[in-house]
């Protein structure tokens, strides 16, 4: 049974997830957590401060850092990387569709969605919208936490073989959510742009562009016979974002400003679709911020490059726990349990960035934190997923280790982890950063 302190941390995660229905809301939520710990926002267009606790935000990505006023010995970075995005349904540019007397929204599949998990759920809308103002275009967040959308599954009477042959979903034809009756006399209100305009309190013609997605409305919950599980959307990878931001905040609250390294938290957007964007892990965003941190501290480029060579990154992303109903899909000698501690992820073909040297850093952090640790490797006859780890390692030339909290139902609209797993990863990352 989880302890009261472990349950409290899991409840904080639930609030973090529910406040973060989109990557843009996730960076806002993380910024609020960091702000309470003394971190201040810096505009990317402004000079960086030479020391102290700061962060920058670019859309759905955030980089936070704590630079000590004095560095003893060789300069280096200790970096935690995670990602803010999750697979979901994203609204198309011309989304309004009418079929069979119903108004629907055209959506595009974002990332590796478990499509069936989005059926028969009450869905809201969230993301960001660019609106026209007297001072030029302005980006605003939008979150409509109301049961607007639903994708109804076909009745079994019309698909008698579904239980024997499995559910087959066509991404184009079968996943458009319904949200209004057609011909109900409220046509203007039933348009997507009209709905955005209403919630943003602007005229429809002011809505210029959007990145809006559906999100599950069921709140995150602590579940199980002994309240040992966390059931929530977007555990992959908001759990790691929460653990990393909390570790940075705890480090600050303890007054633990190390004098031998700069602690960095990098939360990236677009991991689920390859990370190749202006703010993704495969781009130049993180390298640019790290170099500007060094230059602001008064280090020359040679010192900065030496710092990178002596640094290490922990890439924190969801890890597969062994599913008890599909144990044969997992490597037999590497069982991963939901309460067995953070997972060190290894792949010989470098789908994970872990090597022997970088692994040792995280193993030691778990020992210092007093938490157990597990190791994951995929079955040799199954393909292995990947993370921001290899991309970060190659973009920064920085040794990297891939880790994560164990979870089930990865890439479902609703995922599962354990209460103790949240606390264990948070404690391990706190020890690592400190």
């Amino acid at each position: 049974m989880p302890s009261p302190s472990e349950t409290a941390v899991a409840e904080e995660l639930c609030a973090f997830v529910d406040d973060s229905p989109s990557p843009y809301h996730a960076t806002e939520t993380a910024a609020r957590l960091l702000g309470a710990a003394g971190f201040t926002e810096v505009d990317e267009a402004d000079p960086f401060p030479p020391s102290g606790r700061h962060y920058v935000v670019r859309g759905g990505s955030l980089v936070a850092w704590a630079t000590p006023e004095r560095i003893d010995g060789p300069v280096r970075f200790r970096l935690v990387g995670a990602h803010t995005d999750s697979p979901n349904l994203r609204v198309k540019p011309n989304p309004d569709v009418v079929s069979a007397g119903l108004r629907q929204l055209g959506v595009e599949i974002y990332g590796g969605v478990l499509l069936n998990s989005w059926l028969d759920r009450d869905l809201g809308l969230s993301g960001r919208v660019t609106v026209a103002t007297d001072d030029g275009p302005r980006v605003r967040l939008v979150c409509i936490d109301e049961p607007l959308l639903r994708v109804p599954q076909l009745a079994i009477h019309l698909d008698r073989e579904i239980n024997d042959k499995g559910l087959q979903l066509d991404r184009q034809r079968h996943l458009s959510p319904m949200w209004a009756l057609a011909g109900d006399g409220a046509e203007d209100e039933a348009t997507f742009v009209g709905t955005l305009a209403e919630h943003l309190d602007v005229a429809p013609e002011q809505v210029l562009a959007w990145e809006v997605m559906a999100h599950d409305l069921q709140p995150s919950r602590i579940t199980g016979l002994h309240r040992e599980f966390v059931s929530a959307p977007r555990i992959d990878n908001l759990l790691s974002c929460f653990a990393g931001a909390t570790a940075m905040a705890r480090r600050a609250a303890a007054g633990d400003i190390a004098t031998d390294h700069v602690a960095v938290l990098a939360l990236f957007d677009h991991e689920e679709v390859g990370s190749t964007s202006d703010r993704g892990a495969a781009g130049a965003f993180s390298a640019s911020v790290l170099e500007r941190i060094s230059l602001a501290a008064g280090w020359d480029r040679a010192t900065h490059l030496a710092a990178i060579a002596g640094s290490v990154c922990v890439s924190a992303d969801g890890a597969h726990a062994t599913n008890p109903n599909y144990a044969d899909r997992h490597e037999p000698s590497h069982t991963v349990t939901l309460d067995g501690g953070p997972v060190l992820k290894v792949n010989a073909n470098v789908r994970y960035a872990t090597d022997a040297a970088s692994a040792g850093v995280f193993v030691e952090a778990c020992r210092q934190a007093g938490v157990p640790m597990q190791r994951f490797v995929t079955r040799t006859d199954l393909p292995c997923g990947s993370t921001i780890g290899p991309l970060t390692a190659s973009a920064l030339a920085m040794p990297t280790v891939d880790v994560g909290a164990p979870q089930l139902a990865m890439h479902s609209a609703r995922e599962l982890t354990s209460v103790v797993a949240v606390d264990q990863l948070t404690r391990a990352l706190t020890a690592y950063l400190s």
Side-chain angles (χ1 to χ4, degrees), residues 46-337:
D46 293 337
F48 279 18
S51 62
R53 305 180 182 111
H54 307 282
Y55 65 88
V56 295
V57 176
R58 182 185 289 191
S61 296
L62 174 150
V63 179
W65 67 93
T67 305
E69 294 192 9
R70 178 176 56 86
I71 298 278
D72 292 336
V75 178
R76 66 189 188 212
F77 295 97
R78 284 227 160 187
L79 192 150
V80 172
H83 67 88
T84 59
D85 61 322
S86 300
N88 57 24
L89 311 180
R90 302 210 169 188
V91 180
K92 291 180 176 179
N94 296 318
D96 294 302
V97 178
V98 175
S99 178
L102 291 168
R103 292 189 175 274
Q104 297 175 275
L105 288 185
V107 294
E108 189 173 4
I109 306 304
Y110 178 88
V113 178
L114 272 175
L115 299 176
N116 65 292
S117 68
W118 287 84
L119 303 178
D120 299 323
R121 288 183 180 273
D122 294 331
L123 305 173
L125 289 168
S126 57
R128 64 177 183 172
V129 182
T130 301
V131 299
T133 72
D134 292 339
D135 298 321
R138 179 187 172 196
V139 176
R140 294 177 56 184
L141 296 188
V142 63
C143 180
I144 308 176
D145 255 336
E146 301 173 13
L148 298 182
L149 310 179
R150 194 174 182 90
V151 185
Q153 188 169 186
L154 184 65
I156 194 170
H157 313 78
L158 306 177
D159 189 3
R160 295 284 186 179
E161 298 179 326
I162 185 173
N163 289 329
D164 298 318
K165 294 187 176 180
L167 176 65
Q168 299 293 321
L169 292 173
D170 183 283
R171 292 168 176 246
Q172 174 69 17
R173 296 184 298 123
H174 298 154
L175 289 163
S176 295
M178 49 175 275
W179 73 329
L181 292 170
D184 60 1
E187 296 181 2
D188 291 339
E189 296 178 6
T191 66
F192 178 69
V193 170
T195 300
L196 286 184
E198 179 184 351
H199 280 268
L200 294 172
D201 195 23
V202 299
E205 57 269 21
Q206 289 180 264
V207 177
L208 303 179
W210 57 82
E211 293 168 283
V212 173
M213 58 211 71
H215 66 268
D216 178 28
L217 287 180
Q218 186 178 357
S220 303
R221 297 288 300 274
I222 295 178
T223 64
L225 181 62
H226 303 295
R227 289 176 51 82
E228 60 262 81
F229 302 124
V230 177
S231 171
R234 303 179 296 280
I235 288 175
D236 175 16
N237 188 32
L238 291 184
L239 193 164
S240 298
C241 296
F242 166 81
T246 301
M248 291 284 280
R250 286 182 178 179
R251 181 181 183 277
D256 182 15
I257 300 299
T259 58
D260 62 348
H261 70 266
V262 178
V264 181
L265 172 69
L267 308 180
F268 296 105
D269 198 356
H270 296 149
E271 188 273 346
E272 298 292 358
V273 291
S275 296
T276 52
S277 70
D278 71 305
R279 56 190 181 271
F285 178 50
S286 57
S288 172
V289 172
L290 291 180
E291 185 168 3
R292 293 183 66 186
I293 292 170
S294 294
L295 293 174
W299 311 327
D300 59 23
R301 183 163 175 78
T303 303
H304 170 72
L305 294 176
I308 293 293
S311 299
V312 66
C313 172
V314 168
S315 164
D317 203 344
H320 295 293
T322 301
N323 190 313
N325 294 330
Y326 300 90
D328 59 313
R329 297 297 183 95
H330 301 266
E331 173 61 32
S333 59
H334 289 74
T335 298
V336 175
T337 64

